[in-house]
Amino acid sequence: MRVLLVGAGGVGTAVTRIAARRPFFDLMVVADYDPARAEATVAAVGDPRFRAERVDAGDEAAVAALLARHGCDVLFNATDPRFVMPLFRAARTAGASYLDMAMSLSRPHPERPYEECGVKLGDEQFALAAEWEKAGALALVGMGVEPGLSDVFARYAADELFDEIEEIGIRDGADLTVDGYDFAPSFSIWTTIEECLNPPVVYEKERGWFTTAPFSEPEVFDFPDGIGPVECVNVEHEEVLLVPRWVDARRVTFKYGLGREFIETLKTLHLLGLDSTTPVTVSGADGPVAVSPRDVVAASLPDPATLGERMRGRTCAGTWVRGVKDGQPREVYLYHVVDNEWSMAEYGCQAVVWQTALNPVVALELLATGGWSGSGVLGPEAFPARPFLDLLTEYGSPWGLREQ
Amino acid sequence: MRVLLVGAGGVGTAVTRIAARRPFFDLMVVADYDPARAEATVAAVGDPRFRAERVDAGDEAAVAALLARHGCDVLFNATDPRFVMPLFRAARTAGASYLDMAMSLSRPHPERPYEECGVKLGDEQFALAAEWEKAGALALVGMGVEPGLSDVFARYAADELFDEIEEIGIRDGADLTVDGYDFAPSFSIWTTIEECLNPPVVYEKERGWFTTAPFSEPEVFDFPDGIGPVECVNVEHEEVLLVPRWVDARRVTFKYGLGREFIETLKTLHLLGLDSTTPVTVSGADGPVAVSPRDVVAASLPDPATLGERMRGRTCAGTWVRGVKDGQPREVYLYHVVDNEWSMAEYGCQAVVWQTALNPVVALELLATGGWSGSGVLGPEAFPARPFLDLLTEYGSPWGLREQ
């Protein structure tokens, strides 16, 4: 397998470190808009199978040319979601497979944003599904940890643990803290604001997909491995759009364990208009300047990419399922926990970033070895779950099942 | 009496409208850095005793020259506290009396900011007291509503209501709301952040002045005239520095009725570093720019000066006193309430601004008519309270007393 990895940020770098320990691929070209970043990532991994390149992820033709030049058979998108569509199209143009960890962006319903969906996450990609199918080509979408592993868990529950499923609820929580800071998100505040203030999407069999107001349906979920109870709220996330396409369930939700303090902080930012990306005018050193309040919020907080060494605690991704097995009610939580001290010591990667990078590498290996195959635009739940979960354990990062 | 009023902002404008109804002065020169603002203020009042001028409040010599040119016998400082010292010195140079509504600024203790005072509010002014006394000249400091009327109430309690005073606590609260906004402070958020995040100062007879952490000693105070219970916290304020110099009390505090939501909002801004005035770098239209996060917060909210027409509710300033009278424990709250609809209709001024402007005009009239006289740097509590309170009632804005 010959891979073009686009994006040498935190996740891209972790991908190289995880993949370097596996024999399934022959070449991984690491391409970034900033060539120095790509080169540093490749140099750090010290493996002749890796090569650095410069590419603008928004330049479809340049990406397709790069795929052709290196004879890559798969494009692995590790950039931010704004670049999903150009990369997705470039892969199709070049005849390569495609893999991403977040899907094409949504746009709220213009009149009823908190009741009806507008353009949904992934809609632009699924609109081209027939083209991929016809070509016998595969786009594996939403294949990180959440979405990704969480979708694999949903399929596993449907195949092996339940006869009927009432609800599938992805639940994400952590007890990560950052030494020396009273408040330091372990992920991009800019993106978190975007995710959390978009109208959350919910799926119900009778109703289809619909939206709610931000922070709806708060619940306290008890996370395993000592993380404990964390307040979770509905957030717009790919699983709610992916799972119902392949798994039969009455209801699908995604709730993010932001915790009370963080939820209140985001609400306050929204109340004050500080989540806005519409520029406001303030005085700068050389006269008035227009700046985005959200950019100022992000700039006032420490850069999460630099906090790995100061972080403590664990992050948990998982899928809670409630339904019936053998005529009896059943409820399980399938989960995967990463301890930051472990991921820093073992891979030099922050836990959330490492957990995101791990799963697409496992998926690539399954595609390379034939454990997974298919064509069209497919989510992780379109494939058999068991080979994925077994390989995950072989990677040294086992998952867990808790009967509730 | 010939007055130089420096500052034609909200309070300065309200001063002209209140003073215009009174006969005690011959000339009031309204000077501002922005001559158009001074001219608009004078034009709106339509009284030949008012004249507009341009002056830079930071230019001591220019202010002294302006006082001399118009033969003014009193400088009335209605600017922001950064200009206290140049205006205070300019008045002394020109041989004029001086009046302000906020005192020279504090600086926190460099090592123990939340335990010990550094430079206290007014310290720079009191350092020059001997000079004023020797010249037989008067600087009446802290003569707005709080400080100002609140200090008059403290003196009144000591003179007429108590034999011994245990505690004097200024308590400020309101039920003001702004139509059409979920969150719109009725006063400058920039200044509120400054006031509320400075270490609050407390006075105790045995211990002297000391500081605490911001938002300390929260209490719910029940405000009169239908305002009701509001959560109050310690805030740095002039009364705590002024009252103990002339009134015998075991303890003096100032608590600001910010309410739970506002307190949490300020704490969140502090936690995120958005209260900071140290510039952060963000991208602007033409490349990176450095801006103060606090300026961005202020720019993201509606300008309180423009909200008078949309505001509803009342503001209450007052002094709560606990002690002993005739061997019996006694507790009173002396207060002054202004309804925004009334002040808008009657004076075209927002309630908080009008209440601040009213009291120094009453004081000026007492100085002009000989009801108050003295020399040195004196707070409002250095003068007999009864003539002030009687004249306040004559101005059509009576005060109240509630036995607790």
Side-chain angles (χ1 to χ4, degrees):
Chain A
M1 179 180 264
R2 299 171 73 86
V3 183
L4 171 62
L5 171 67
V6 185
V11 174
T13 299
V15 162
T16 62
R17 295 179 189 178
I18 296 163
R21 302 192 185 187
R22 307 295 301 183
F24 69 86
F25 67 98
D26 307 307
L27 173 72
M28 191 173 283
V29 177
V30 182
D32 199 279
Y33 188 78
D34 176 359
R37 201 157 79 145
E39 279 153 25
T41 297
V42 167
V45 84
D47 177 328
R49 293 178 297 167
F50 291 85
R51 302 259 291 270
E53 288 278 3
R54 186 198 170 278
V55 81
D56 176 351
D59 184 344
E60 215 177 299
V63 174
L66 193 60
L67 281 162
R69 181 144 53 89
H70 288 285
C72 290
D73 36 41
V74 57
L75 188 164
F76 182 164
N77 171 9
T79 65
D80 85 56
R82 285 174 297 164
F83 299 108
V84 162
M85 288 314 293
L87 292 174
F88 179 75
R89 284 190 299 251
R92 184 75 284 282
T93 302
S97 302
Y98 169 86
L99 181 151
D100 66 27
M101 296 170 287
M103 289 160 68
S104 59
L105 291 167
S106 65
R107 283 193 300 279
H109 191 278
E111 283 97 43
R112 293 157 51 87
Y114 301 142
E115 288 148 310
E116 291 181 35
C117 294
V119 175
K120 301 189 297 300
L121 288 172
D123 274 2
E124 290 183 72
Q125 290 176 285
F126 282 116
L128 301 174
E131 218 182 281
W132 286 79
E133 259 171 68
K134 213 166 57 189
L138 173 64
L140 171 49
V141 296
M143 188 59 250
V145 58
E146 278 174 343
L149 178 54
S150 50
D151 301 75
V152 172
F153 284 143
R155 170 70 184 263
Y156 176 73
D159 284 356
E160 306 200 17
L161 306 177
F162 290 86
D163 299 325
E164 261 178 66
I165 293 178
E166 187 58 38
E167 181 163 358
I168 294 179
I170 319 304
R171 297 293 181 267
D172 176 297
D175 65 356
L176 294 166
T177 57
V178 181
D179 290 348
Y181 291 95
D182 286 332
F183 186 83
S186 52
F187 31 81
S188 154
I189 187 90
W190 205 102
T191 307
T192 307
I193 290 173
E194 182 75 16
E195 279 191 349
C196 294
L197 297 175
N198 275 345
V201 60
V202 171
Y203 173 83
E204 286 177 5
K205 209 165 183 175
E206 298 73 25
R207 206 173 153 187
W209 286 293
F210 61 93
T211 56
T212 74
F215 309 111
S216 61
E217 299 182 18
E219 74 173 50
V220 173
F221 191 84
D222 188 23
F223 288 92
D225 283 10
I227 295 173
V230 180
E231 184 163 334
C232 299
V233 289
N234 278 325
V235 165
E236 181 193 51
H237 230 255
E238 283 87 346
E239 292 91 328
V240 178
L241 288 317
L242 287 174
V243 168
R245 294 176 197 262
W246 288 280
V247 173
D248 189 30
R250 281 239 159 82
R251 192 167 204 267
V252 182
T253 57
F254 180 97
K255 291 190 185 175
Y256 199 176
L258 294 165
R260 177 110 301 258
E261 184 192 19
F262 202 84
I263 292 168
E264 292 305 322
T265 298
L266 290 174
K267 284 184 178 174
T268 299
L269 290 174
H270 183 55
L271 194 66
L272 273 59
L274 295 172
D275 58 318
S276 170
T277 55
T278 305
V280 296
T281 300
V282 296
S283 52
D286 306 313
V289 291
V291 295
S292 141
R294 195 193 291 180
D295 286 348
V296 174
V297 172
S300 297
L301 290 169
D303 177 359
T306 65
L307 297 177
E309 294 286 356
R310 291 162 168 265
M311 275 171 58
R312 279 174 208 283
R314 291 143 297 191
T315 186
C316 176
T319 303
W320 160 82
V321 186
R322 187 167 58 82
V324 174
K325 177 67 176 176
D326 300 329
Q328 296 296 314
R330 188 179 194 183
E331 205 179 317
V332 303
Y333 182 59
L334 299 154
Y335 64 91
H336 185 251
V337 170
V338 179
D339 184 291
N340 190 69
E341 280 181 83
W342 176 86
S343 66
M344 285 303 296
E346 187 73 13
Y347 286 88
C349 297
Q350 194 243 54
V352 178
V353 157
W354 186 84
Q355 193 183 35
T356 304
L358 170 66
N359 294 283
V361 178
V362 171
L364 277 185
E365 180 160 346
L366 286 171
L367 294 174
T369 58
W372 276 9
S373 64
S375 65
V377 178
L378 303 179
E381 53 281 272
F383 300 88
R386 174 64 77 176
F388 188 99
L389 295 175
D390 288 346
L391 189 53
L392 187 69
T393 303
E394 200 189 304
Y395 270 59
S397 191
W399 54 286
L401 184 158
R402 181 177 70 187
E403 294 277 353
Q404 315 259 91
Chain B
M1 179 180 265
R2 300 171 71 86
V3 183
L4 171 63
L5 171 67
V6 185
V11 174
T13 299
V15 163
T16 62
R17 295 178 188 179
I18 297 163
R21 302 191 184 186
R22 307 294 301 184
F24 68 86
F25 66 99
D26 306 307
L27 173 73
M28 191 174 286
V29 177
V30 181
D32 199 278
Y33 188 78
D34 175 0
R37 201 157 79 145
E39 279 153 24
T41 297
V42 167
V45 84
D47 177 327
R49 293 179 296 168
F50 291 84
R51 302 258 292 270
E53 287 278 4
R54 185 198 172 279
V55 81
D56 176 349
D59 184 344
E60 215 177 300
V63 174
L66 192 61
L67 281 162
R69 181 142 55 88
H70 288 284
C72 292
D73 37 42
V74 56
L75 187 163
F76 181 165
N77 172 9
T79 66
D80 85 56
R82 285 173 297 164
F83 299 107
V84 162
M85 289 313 293
L87 292 173
F88 179 76
R89 284 189 299 249
R92 183 76 285 282
T93 303
S97 303
Y98 169 86
L99 180 151
D100 65 29
M101 297 170 286
M103 290 160 67
S104 58
L105 290 167
S106 64
R107 282 194 301 278
H109 190 279
E111 283 97 43
R112 294 158 49 87
Y114 300 142
E115 289 148 312
E116 292 180 34
C117 293
V119 175
K120 300 189 297 301
L121 288 170
D123 273 1
E124 289 182 73
Q125 291 176 286
F126 282 115
L128 301 174
E131 219 182 280
W132 287 79
E133 258 171 67
K134 211 166 56 186
L138 173 65
L140 170 51
V141 295
M143 189 58 250
V145 57
E146 279 174 343
L149 178 54
S150 50
D151 301 75
V152 172
F153 283 143
R155 170 69 185 262
Y156 177 73
D159 284 357
E160 305 201 18
L161 307 177
F162 289 86
D163 298 326
E164 259 178 66
I165 293 179
E166 187 59 37
E167 181 163 359
I168 294 178
I170 318 305
R171 297 292 182 268
D172 176 297
D175 65 357
L176 294 166
T177 57
V178 181
D179 290 348
Y181 290 96
D182 286 330
F183 185 84
S186 53
F187 31 81
S188 155
I189 186 89
W190 204 102
T191 308
T192 307
I193 290 173
E194 182 76 17
E195 279 192 351
C196 293
L197 297 176
N198 276 345
V201 60
V202 171
Y203 173 83
E204 286 178 4
K205 210 168 185 175
E206 298 74 24
R207 204 170 154 189
W209 287 293
F210 61 94
T211 56
T212 75
F215 309 112
S216 61
E217 297 181 18
E219 74 174 49
V220 174
F221 191 84
D222 189 23
F223 288 91
D225 283 12
I227 295 174
V230 180
E231 184 163 333
C232 299
V233 289
N234 278 327
V235 165
E236 181 193 52
H237 231 253
E238 283 87 346
E239 291 92 327
V240 178
L241 287 317
L242 287 174
V243 168
R245 294 176 196 262
W246 288 280
V247 174
D248 190 30
R250 280 240 159 83
R251 192 167 205 268
V252 182
T253 57
F254 180 97
K255 291 190 185 178
Y256 199 177
L258 295 166
R260 178 111 300 258
E261 185 193 18
F262 202 83
I263 292 168
E264 291 305 320
T265 298
L266 290 174
K267 283 184 180 177
T268 299
L269 291 174
H270 183 54
L271 194 64
L272 271 59
L274 295 171
D275 58 317
S276 171
T277 55
T278 305
V280 296
T281 301
V282 296
S283 53
D286 306 313
V289 292
V291 295
S292 140
R294 195 193 291 180
D295 286 349
V296 173
V297 172
S300 298
L301 291 169
D303 177 359
T306 66
L307 297 177
E309 294 287 356
R310 292 162 168 264
M311 274 170 58
R312 280 174 207 284
R314 292 143 296 192
T315 187
C316 177
T319 303
W320 161 81
V321 187
R322 188 167 57 83
V324 174
K325 178 67 174 175
D326 300 331
Q328 297 295 313
R330 189 179 194 184
E331 205 179 318
V332 303
Y333 182 59
L334 299 153
Y335 63 91
H336 184 253
V337 170
V338 179
D339 183 291
N340 189 69
E341 281 181 83
W342 176 85
S343 66
M344 284 303 297
E346 186 75 15
Y347 286 88
C349 297
Q350 193 245 53
V352 179
V353 157
W354 186 84
Q355 193 183 36
T356 305
L358 170 65
N359 293 283
V361 178
V362 172
L364 276 184
E365 180 160 347
L366 286 172
L367 294 174
T369 58
W372 275 10
S373 64
S375 64
V377 178
L378 303 179
E381 54 281 272
F383 300 88
R386 175 62 79 174
F388 188 99
L389 295 174
D390 289 347
L391 188 52
L392 187 70
T393 303
E394 200 189 305
Y395 270 60
S397 192
W399 54 286
L401 183 157
R402 181 176 71 187
E403 292 278 352
Q404 316 261 93

